[in-house]
Each structure stands twice: as structure tokens, then as C-alpha cells.
Amino acid sequence: MAVTSTYTVKGMTCSHCVQSVTQELSALPGVTSVQVDLASGGVTVASETPLAEQAVREAVDEAGYELADA
């Protein structure tokens, strides 16, 4: 059963930002899709199982951005 999670990423300003975040999050085990809304900073991640927030935070950090606290 697929799990959908929504996050807010701070610091994205262009399509390259979106590509970087998408690439890093897509590399997480079990992730099936990543949708990024540049205007709002919203990121929706679909995965096979729930993702650990720390793993998501580390992937966003690796891309050079910051995961906003919920």
C-alpha cells in the first residue's frame, strides 16, 4: 500500500532547485514518486512504506536546502 507524505522545503528558487530535491528524494529506498511545487515549497512524496523524517531531512540537506519543521 502506497504512503503519501507532504513536506515543505525552504530555499528553492528555480527549476534546478526542484530537480536537485527531486533527485535526492527519489534516491531514498521505497520512493515511487516526488512532486515539487516551487511556488509554495511543497513536496509530496509517494513511497511503498512510511519514510523516516530524518532520512527525508538528510536527503533535502544533501540537495542543499532545508526541510521546514512541521
Side-chain angles (χ1 to χ4, degrees):
M1 183 167 125
V3 178
T4 302
S5 304
T6 304
Y7 306 94
T8 301
V9 175
K10 298 190 287 187
M12 296 186 299
T13 58
C14 65
S15 61
H16 180 265
C17 301
V18 170
Q19 182 179 5
S20 295
V21 170
T22 300
Q23 183 176 355
E24 290 296 332
L25 289 173
S26 294
L28 292 175
V31 171
T32 57
S33 74
V34 178
Q35 299 294 321
V36 179
D37 179 7
L38 179 59
S40 70
V43 179
T44 303
V45 181
S47 57
E48 296 169 358
T49 58
L51 298 173
E53 183 176 337
Q54 187 61 32
V56 173
R57 187 172 300 280
E58 288 172 5
V60 171
D61 286 347
E62 184 67 27
Y65 306 97
E66 183 180 350
L67 188 66
D69 291 326

